[in-house]
Each structure stands twice: as structure tokens, then as C-alpha cells.
Amino acid sequence: MQDMNAMQATHFLRLLSRLKPLMAPTLPISTSQQTKFILKSAYASMAYAAGPRRVWSRALVRRIRRNRRRPTMRIINKRRHVVRPRRRPAEGGSEELRKVIPGGDTILNGARLVEETSDYVQFLRTQVIIMKALVSSFSKGQHG
Amino acid sequence: MDLSDKGKFGLNKDGDGDVDLKYQHQHQHQHQHQHQHRRRPYPPPSMSPPPSGISADWQRGLIPVTTTVTTTPWEHHPASTSENLGFPLNDDGSASSADNNGLIVKPVPGNWNHPPPGIGILSSGLSQFPADSAFIERAARFSYFGNGNFTSMLAPFDSSNPYLNSAGVALMAGQPPPPQRSEPPNIAREGGSKDLIASGQGGSNVGSPMNSEKDISAGDNRGDVEVSGSGREDNRSKGTAARKRKWNNNSKKEMEIDKSNEEHQNKEEENKSNLAINNKNSGKQAKEVLDPPKEDYIHVRARRGQATNSHSLAERVRREKISERMKFLQDLVPGCTKVTGKAVMLDEIINYVQSLQRQVEFLSMKLSAVDPQLDFNLGLLSKDMVQARASSSSVIGFQPDLVNSFQHPNTQGLMQLGNSGYGPPPDAFRRTINAQLTAINTFKETKHQMPNSLDEDLHNVLSQMGFGNNAPSLNIQESNDNKSCDDSFPM
């Protein structure tokens, strides 16, 4: 668990630090863009720390990549469609949960869904902790 | 007579009226020996530990049920668990007859409440072991270990996941037996809950031949059909068979029905005696005999007065799995009282997850606002790392290292550390250092005053964390303290 925190923090900071070199040369990016980037990097670090074994981490990565790149177009019947994830109809009384968890709609098994949820919650929590620490250290650094 | 004695012991302790007694009667002298042996230990002349020892064994969870009439069985308890992995139930290591392999070591869970007299029962009817989920899992695994064929299959099922093991074992169990088995596994897979059905299938196949007629009839009607198999392998097999039979009956498979036939069983019993001996696990029998509410894996026994439909059984197992994970989730989510039902809890969880996501978003906004230039210098990084570590009870080892690295005000020191860490460092610490180093390098290009501020930052961090320049122990203590207050992180 602690190792995961460390990994998560590391990845997050790395991703964030990547922003700096990007930003420095160019004009200051709008706050919203910055925010989005930070958000993305936060989720990316989460997913990276979680590993590919988790459904939600894979879905997160897919989501992030999808935003960056154009949605892959596949030639179907000589027509180009944007491939959208197929919605699975399976529900075990946990429809809302599936909406919240990334990639949850692909999880059919209710038990598996709960497992993924708990894992996701853990990583989310550590991510929040990391970001809070970062914010506080930032503000302290500025004030101190 | 043992049998009569057994009666005294109340073999039928379980309200199931199981046929343990019957089986025991039917059993050969071996069992009787066993029984005797079992009963002896009660105040075991040769056994040093009297009932207390037995209880200790119980607590330990292993009561070797072997035919040998020596004290070894009891003494072998600790070994049996570990040694029996690949070896069917012969944990005692005592020479047991081929068919007897023994008495399967059946771990007796700590919650075994039966008084020592139950030992005799135990010896006679393995089915009486209380079911401990962990133990049962082990037992199930052991039971399937009987054949050498299984050993090869053990590898993938050594995972800690009990469900996996049970499923795998169940499937495995289903395979070795003759063609009959092959069908059930397939059928099981077709069904929804393959692990359950498979286990049931496998069990039925194995057990059916072994099962005695009595169990069958009882099994159909009552959910608590116990495989009354007496302690012997027959019991084991029967127990397993009975269990499986119950399952089979529930699943209403043809094969199962056939198997449930006594005659069928009788014929196959001999054929499969070896299998049974090997396969049947004392634990399984114990499970069966006991009145377990329901095994979470491999086989499910319907509760009293509940439908023994295979579907309902499978559903119950599924529900139990889900509830188990929900419990874990409950612990994660703060403020989730146990009183709440499933729906309310689900809402709570969803709210919590959404709030966490909103928090992340908000914090990211804050982060971007705090430093419009996104100047994530090393100091911030290090500070964050240290604070994150401390607050989230991070690895202890990380702190001293970090502190030590911070002890060197020179960025050079850090760089040296970082350089050393450029090897193949899987440690987060090293990675952090690397990250910091890269940050340092990056920022060094842009700002030459980085090192100074870095030093200042480091010192600030150290002072903030209450770390002296020479107090790595403090860090450890703090981290320890932080660790203790783990999830009470103020949000």
C-alpha cells in the first residue's frame, strides 16, 4: 500500500514536471488547460500505478489517450466509423456504480465490479492525498 | 465396540442425523482401528497431550485422521498441513493402507466446539470437522491432491484466491475421474457459476460412487445432507460424494442422478476408492458433516429449510462473494455504517467516489492556480514526496533515505545519489530521486538558483516535518506514527 503511494506520487510528479518544460517555452497556457492537464496527469499516474491488471486503469488510460488523439477510425464496410465502446447491458443493481467507475460498464460480474471499485477508491484516495500534499507544499513554499 | 462407542460420542452430533454412524459401521476394521485410535487420544495414553492437546490440535486446525494407532498422528499435525500439499491426506505419515490413505488430515478450525469426545467421531467420521473457510479451502486443495495427476495441476491453483483455488480444484477434481466427470465440468462451465457447478460436478462424480444411498435420499430433501461418511476414506469419499450428490441432485444432471444410485455407487466405489481416498478430503467431509452454513467455494451446501436448487445455491455463493467484497469496500469508505442495506451502501459508495473525483478535479484546479507557471521545482517535489509519505504512511525506508539525502544540502550530493540511483532501481525512493534529479537538471538549465532554493526547500521541509538534521529516527517514528493513523487522513 505504501509502495503504491510512493509510486503514485512519483508518477504524478513526473507527469507534472513534464508540464513545466512544455509550458515554459510557450506562452502561458490558460488555467483551464493547465487544469485539464493536471487532471489528466493525475488520473494517468493513478492508472499507471495501478497497473494494467485493473479494468478501471485500462479504461482510464484509454480515455486519456482518446482525448489526446483522434478517435481511431476503423473502416467498416468501406465507411469510416468512429469506434465507440460497446455498451454492455449487464447490470446487477449497480448501474450507477458502473457509470462512476471508469470502464465499469464493461464489467459484468457484480463481485468483480465491487473489487474494482474498492481498488479504484484506494487509488483515488491516495491521489487526493498526494495532490493535497502538493498543494500545501506549494503554498508553503510560496509563503515560507 | 467402536461403533457403539461412537454412538456414545454422538456421532450424530450434527443434527443432520447423518449416517456417519452408519458408515462407520460399514467400515472395515481399519476404520475401527481408527476409531479406536481416535478415541484413545482422548485421554491418549501414548499421546502426551490429553484433551487439551487435542483441543490444541483443533485450534491448530489439524487433526490427522489416520488409521495408524500411534501417537504420531497427533504429533504430526503441524507437519501435516505443510506436507500435505501434494500428498493426499496422509499427513500422519503413518503407514496407512492404500485405501486408507488416510485419514485425511482434517484441519479442525478453531471454532470447533465439539468436546473431545468428538474425537472419536472425528476418527470415525471425518465429516464432523467444523468448517473453517480457510481450512476448508486447504482441505479442498488437499483432497484433490490425492492423485499424482493433480500435482501437476497444483501450480496454477496455488494462488491465494480461495475462489480460484476452489474453482480450479473443482475443475481438477472433475477431470481425473472417468468420462463421467468430463461432462460435468463442461456442463458446469456452461452454467453460470462455473466454480460452483464445476465443483459440484466434480464432487458429484467423485462422490457419487462413494456415496451411500442414505445420503442421497437425505440430501435431496434436506439441505444439510451430510456426507456422513465415516472417518474412512469411504466416508470421505462418501462425504464428498454426498456433498456432491447433493449438488448433483440440485443441478439435476443426468450423471449425477445416475451416480446417486446406490448400485452405481457401489460399483464405482471400488473403482474409485483410490480416487476417493486421494480425492476425498477429510476437510471436505468435515465440511459436510458439519453444519456449515455454506461453503464459499467448491461446494455449497444449502442451508436448512432453504431451497437446494443449484441455481439458488450458486446464487447464494455469488451473493456471498459480493457481500464479502462489499464489506471490504465498506471499510474503505468512511462513514459506511453496517446498518445500511445494500442499496444505501451502494449510494454511499457512489457518492464517495464522486466526491473523490470532484476533489481531484478541484485540487488540480488549485494546483494550476497556485502556480500559474507550473513551476514544479525540485523543492516542491521533495516536499511533496516527504509529506505525502508522512501523511499516507508511506514506506519507512523511504524516509530515512530521503532525509539522509536531504541532509546533504548540496545538490551535488543529491545528484550523486541520483546518479547512483540511475541503475535499475525499482525503489520508489530511487525513482523519486531520479525524478528529483531530472527536475533538478531541467530546472538547472532554466534557473541557476535552483540549488539554493532547493536547499532552502529541503531545510524547510525538514523543519516542517520536525526532522532535525541528524534525526532520521524521528522520521521513522513519525512515519510509524503516521502509519498507525493510516486512514484517518483528514480530508
Side-chain angles (χ1 to χ4, degrees):
Chain A
M1 185 57 167
Q2 296 84 6
D3 288 339
M4 281 196 317
N5 294 349
M7 246 183 30
Q8 229 177 304
T10 313
H11 293 311
F12 184 52
L13 289 171
R14 265 217 201 116
L15 288 171
L16 284 181
S17 65
R18 266 195 225 147
L19 176 61
K20 167 72 174 174
L22 289 177
M23 298 302 111
T26 66
L27 292 173
I29 300 187
S30 70
T31 312
S32 66
Q33 266 181 326
Q34 247 182 33
T35 309
K36 278 195 193 153
F37 178 85
I38 293 180
L39 196 59
K40 260 194 238 168
S41 64
Y43 280 117
S45 71
M46 257 176 66
Y48 194 72
R53 286 202 51 106
R54 286 295 174 188
V55 174
W56 62 264
S57 66
R58 291 197 294 262
L60 263 182
V61 169
R62 225 179 297 134
R63 195 192 291 179
I64 290 171
R65 291 216 182 126
R66 213 185 319 154
N67 290 342
R68 288 214 181 147
R69 305 181 195 162
R70 266 172 77 221
T72 54
M73 308 246 277
R74 293 200 203 158
I75 300 179
I76 303 175
N77 294 337
K78 298 189 181 171
R79 273 186 296 160
R80 305 207 165 191
H81 295 288
V82 173
V83 178
R84 301 278 176 226
R86 189 164 53 90
R87 294 271 173 242
R88 308 270 191 101
E91 286 179 21
S94 43
E95 170 188 352
E96 291 271 339
L97 199 53
R98 278 170 221 265
K99 283 189 207 159
V100 174
I101 309 286
D105 51 353
T106 60
I107 302 177
L108 298 168
N109 190 5
R112 182 69 59 187
L113 181 67
V114 175
E115 213 180 293
E116 297 275 330
T117 304
S118 57
D119 199 59
Y120 185 61
V121 161
Q122 275 177 354
F123 276 88
L124 258 186
R125 278 226 293 225
T126 58
Q127 186 64 39
V128 169
I129 291 171
I130 292 169
M131 291 179 76
K132 275 193 181 171
L134 198 55
V135 167
S136 65
S137 72
F138 234 127
S139 51
K140 274 188 192 161
Q142 290 200 339
H143 296 326
Chain B
M1 275 196 49
D2 299 341
L3 300 177
S4 58
D5 291 338
K6 292 218 175 75
K8 282 189 222 163
F9 285 124
L11 283 176
N12 297 329
K13 267 184 182 203
D14 302 341
D16 304 341
D18 49 50
V19 262
D20 290 340
L21 198 43
K22 292 185 213 171
Y23 287 128
Q24 293 165 1
H25 290 290
Q26 297 170 2
H27 286 313
Q28 302 155 16
H29 53 277
Q30 278 183 353
H31 292 286
Q32 291 178 5
H33 287 312
Q34 296 172 9
H35 301 316
Q36 290 172 355
H37 180 55
R38 282 290 160 263
R39 278 180 293 128
R40 290 248 173 86
Y42 183 49
S46 53
M47 313 264 301
S48 51
S52 61
I54 295 170
S55 58
D57 291 339
W58 283 342
Q59 288 168 6
R60 214 171 332 165
L62 273 187
I63 294 191
V65 183
T66 56
T67 53
T68 57
V69 187
T70 58
T71 60
T72 48
W74 295 107
E75 299 163 3
H76 281 266
H77 299 218
S80 54
T81 40
S82 55
E83 295 168 356
N84 284 345
L85 271 185
F87 203 75
L89 321 172
N90 252 344
D91 45 35
D92 293 356
S94 57
S96 53
S97 59
D99 61 345
N100 201 13
N101 253 357
L103 290 178
I104 315 161
V105 175
K106 301 179 216 170
V108 178
N111 57 8
W112 175 273
N113 296 329
H114 292 284
I119 298 175
I121 300 173
L122 287 177
S123 60
S124 59
L126 303 168
S127 54
Q128 309 207 355
F129 291 103
D132 191 9
S133 61
F135 162 67
I136 290 177
E137 176 189 352
R138 248 180 296 135
R141 266 188 275 168
F142 290 155
S143 65
Y144 289 112
F145 291 178
N147 284 339
N149 307 332
F150 294 109
T151 52
S152 61
M153 301 194 224
L154 285 181
F157 301 108
D158 279 341
S159 69
S160 58
N161 184 355
Y163 306 118
L164 249 188
N165 286 338
S166 63
V169 173
L171 286 175
M172 277 170 40
Q175 291 160 12
Q180 295 169 345
R181 307 259 172 106
S182 58
E183 291 182 31
N186 296 335
I187 298 175
R189 284 190 209 103
E190 291 168 5
S193 51
K194 28 179 171 176
D195 52 350
L196 287 176
I197 299 181
S199 61
Q201 294 289 352
S204 62
N205 295 332
V206 175
S208 57
M210 304 300 185
N211 293 335
S212 66
E213 54 294 343
K214 299 129 189 169
D215 288 340
I216 301 173
S217 55
D220 288 344
N221 300 335
R222 294 186 326 182
D224 286 348
V225 170
E226 300 289 345
V227 179
S228 51
S230 40
R232 285 210 321 180
E233 62 270 23
D234 287 346
N235 288 337
R236 287 194 305 271
S237 59
K238 282 180 187 171
T240 320
R243 215 179 345 155
K244 307 296 186 191
R245 245 181 314 140
K246 184 178 67 80
W247 250 59
N248 297 334
N249 293 331
N250 293 336
S251 52
K252 297 161 190 166
K253 303 289 182 186
E254 294 180 352
M255 299 177 0
E256 300 160 13
I257 295 174
D258 293 341
K259 294 197 177 127
S260 59
N261 293 339
E262 301 178 4
E263 304 164 3
H264 204 69
Q265 296 171 357
N266 293 336
K267 293 178 203 168
E268 300 184 0
E269 183 173 2
E270 299 162 9
N271 297 337
K272 307 208 175 149
S273 61
N274 296 336
L275 245 186
I277 296 171
N278 297 334
N279 296 339
K280 298 321 179 281
N281 196 347
S282 58
K284 280 196 182 166
Q285 296 180 359
K287 291 184 257 180
E288 298 172 12
V289 174
L290 278 199
D291 199 349
K294 179 177 42 135
E295 296 316 334
D296 205 359
Y297 65 105
I298 297 211
H299 78 283
V300 176
R301 186 170 285 274
R303 297 189 206 178
R304 283 192 84 100
Q306 294 200 359
T308 58
N309 189 13
S310 70
H311 292 300
S312 56
L313 280 177
E315 263 181 42
R316 193 174 332 134
V317 168
R318 198 180 125 267
R319 262 183 275 134
E320 277 213 353
K321 280 193 197 171
I322 292 183
S323 63
E324 202 176 304
R325 309 204 181 173
M326 291 282 273
K327 271 187 236 165
F328 182 68
L329 197 52
Q330 257 182 347
D331 298 337
L332 273 183
V333 177
C336 234
T337 63
K338 311 297 181 188
V339 183
T340 61
K342 186 178 167 189
V344 181
M345 250 207 44
L346 217 53
D347 284 342
E348 276 288 325
I349 292 168
I350 292 171
N351 286 340
Y352 185 63
V353 169
Q354 281 174 343
S355 80
L356 279 181
Q357 285 175 342
R358 270 182 265 127
Q359 256 180 340
V360 169
E361 197 179 328
F362 173 72
L363 282 174
S364 70
M365 275 199 304
K366 212 166 157 190
L367 258 184
S368 67
V370 162
D371 193 339
Q373 302 91 17
L374 278 177
D375 189 4
F376 291 102
N377 57 21
L378 188 64
L380 275 176
L381 292 179
S382 53
K383 269 193 226 172
D384 173 53
M385 297 304 271
V386 174
Q387 284 178 359
R389 296 292 171 282
S391 59
S392 56
S393 60
S394 56
V395 183
I396 295 181
F398 182 78
Q399 294 255 8
D401 288 343
L402 206 50
V403 171
N404 289 335
S405 67
F406 288 160
Q407 300 286 337
H408 303 284
N410 303 331
T411 48
Q412 290 178 0
L414 269 173
M415 294 198 63
Q416 286 167 6
L417 278 171
N419 286 334
S420 64
Y422 270 126
D427 299 349
F429 163 64
R430 295 247 178 107
R431 260 187 265 145
T432 307
I433 294 298
N434 287 343
Q436 292 173 355
L437 259 167
T438 46
I440 292 179
N441 290 335
T442 308
F443 291 110
K444 259 193 169 178
E445 297 166 3
T446 54
K447 297 184 185 178
H448 295 289
Q449 292 180 352
M450 241 333 147
N452 298 338
S453 60
L454 175 60
D455 296 346
E456 293 169 6
D457 288 337
L458 290 176
H459 286 301
N460 290 339
V461 171
L462 290 179
S463 58
Q464 284 165 14
M465 303 305 295
F467 300 152
N469 280 338
N470 308 319
S473 59
L474 273 183
N475 303 334
I476 297 176
Q477 286 173 7
E478 282 209 28
S479 60
N480 282 338
D481 293 339
N482 290 330
K483 263 189 177 175
S484 59
C485 59
D486 205 72
D487 282 334
S488 58
F489 189 79
M491 297 292 262

